[in-house]
Amino acid sequence: MIHLLLKCNYTTKNWQGHIIYPGELITSIKNLSKELDLSENIIRNALKKLKTTKYILTQSTNKFTKIKITKSIIYNDKPISSNQPIEVPNTNKKQSNNKPITTTNKVNKEIEIKERIDIFKTQIFNFRNQFPMDVLQQFFKFWTEENKQTGRLRFEEEKFWNLETRLSNWKNYNTNSTNKKKIYTNR
């Protein structure tokens, strides 16, 4: 648990198109085994115990495991825009009012996209003192278009991304194209 606490993110980051929130990390059993110099079986058992005691939630793929720390004063006190658990509850379990919990992948995907858009919007509008509001709104509208094949947003598809540089370039491009239009219409 201590190793996971030390390794997890303390700020929101984007890793290969996946947004990693504070209190989360992406790793693998093999990687943890190497880092801790323990067998993979011991790592699996330790993660299993942490999951059953609800200290962590995990989401595994064939390439990595995403781990979210749930019982930690360090990460619970910080404002996290997404407090949704990674693990989807089992639909066979009943809530206290005897209604079954039903979630679909489509609903979860839509929630995840909305959360990523909200984070991106917050990051963009932090520059409202440096750029005009209409530039920020146009930039936001353009870069949050979803790729239906990958489920990623346009800005997440970019290999290199620096928000301030992109905003400056966006403003300069839009200013130059507006000036060119004015020049042609004045002739």
Side-chain angles (χ1 to χ4, degrees):
M1 181 66 179
I2 292 171
H3 182 74
L4 296 177
L5 283 169
L6 292 172
K7 294 281 293 183
C8 65
N9 284 358
Y10 56 90
T11 60
T12 303
K13 299 206 176 186
N14 189 349
W15 179 80
Q16 296 184 0
H18 300 277
I19 295 180
I20 312 302
Y21 298 103
E24 296 180 350
L25 73 142
I26 289 187
T27 188
S28 67
I29 290 176
K30 187 178 273 190
N31 192 15
L32 288 171
S33 174
K34 287 178 187 175
E35 290 172 352
L36 296 169
D37 198 25
L38 297 170
S39 72
E40 291 182 17
N41 203 22
I42 291 173
I43 299 295
R44 265 189 216 91
N45 288 335
L47 291 176
K48 187 176 180 181
K49 287 178 185 176
L50 289 171
K51 279 172 45 176
T52 57
T53 56
K54 301 203 185 320
Y55 277 92
I56 64 170
L57 295 173
T58 62
Q59 179 183 24
S60 298
T61 68
N62 60 346
K63 295 181 182 180
F64 61 85
T65 300
K66 187 175 184 180
I67 299 174
K68 179 178 182 175
I69 309 291
T70 56
K71 290 187 180 179
S72 167
I73 296 171
I74 299 166
Y75 297 107
N76 291 345
D77 289 346
K78 292 195 178 205
I80 300 174
S81 62
S82 165
N83 207 10
Q84 299 291 325
I86 303 168
E87 213 168 52
V88 177
N90 188 348
T91 56
N92 295 333
K93 293 183 183 177
K94 300 278 183 178
Q95 291 178 336
S96 59
N97 59 3
N98 294 330
K99 291 183 182 175
I101 300 171
T102 56
T103 55
T104 63
N105 288 340
K106 185 177 181 182
V107 170
N108 289 337
K109 182 180 174 187
E110 288 173 4
I111 290 170
E112 182 183 320
I113 289 171
K114 287 178 184 175
E115 290 170 353
R116 293 189 336 246
I117 288 173
D118 288 343
I119 290 169
F120 186 62
K121 186 176 189 176
T122 303
Q123 291 171 349
I124 290 172
F125 288 99
N126 283 337
F127 290 96
R128 65 181 162 267
N129 295 334
Q130 297 171 340
F131 299 98
M133 194 57 92
D134 63 327
V135 169
L136 295 176
Q137 289 171 341
Q138 291 170 356
F139 183 86
F140 173 74
K141 187 176 179 182
F142 178 80
W143 285 105
T144 53
E145 187 176 29
E146 181 187 355
N147 181 335
K148 297 294 182 188
Q149 292 175 336
T150 63
R152 294 179 2 183
L153 302 172
R154 181 174 275 169
F155 78 94
E156 294 172 330
E157 299 278 332
E158 294 296 313
K159 190 171 184 178
F160 301 104
W161 185 264
N162 181 321
L163 183 57
E164 191 168 4
T165 305
R166 295 277 179 152
L167 276 167
S168 295
N169 292 341
W170 183 270
K171 180 184 173 194
N172 292 338
Y173 177 76
N174 285 343
T175 305
N176 290 339
S177 11
T178 308
N179 288 342
K180 287 180 184 175
K181 288 178 187 174
K182 287 180 184 176
I183 291 169
Y184 290 123
T185 55
N186 290 339
R187 289 184 182 191

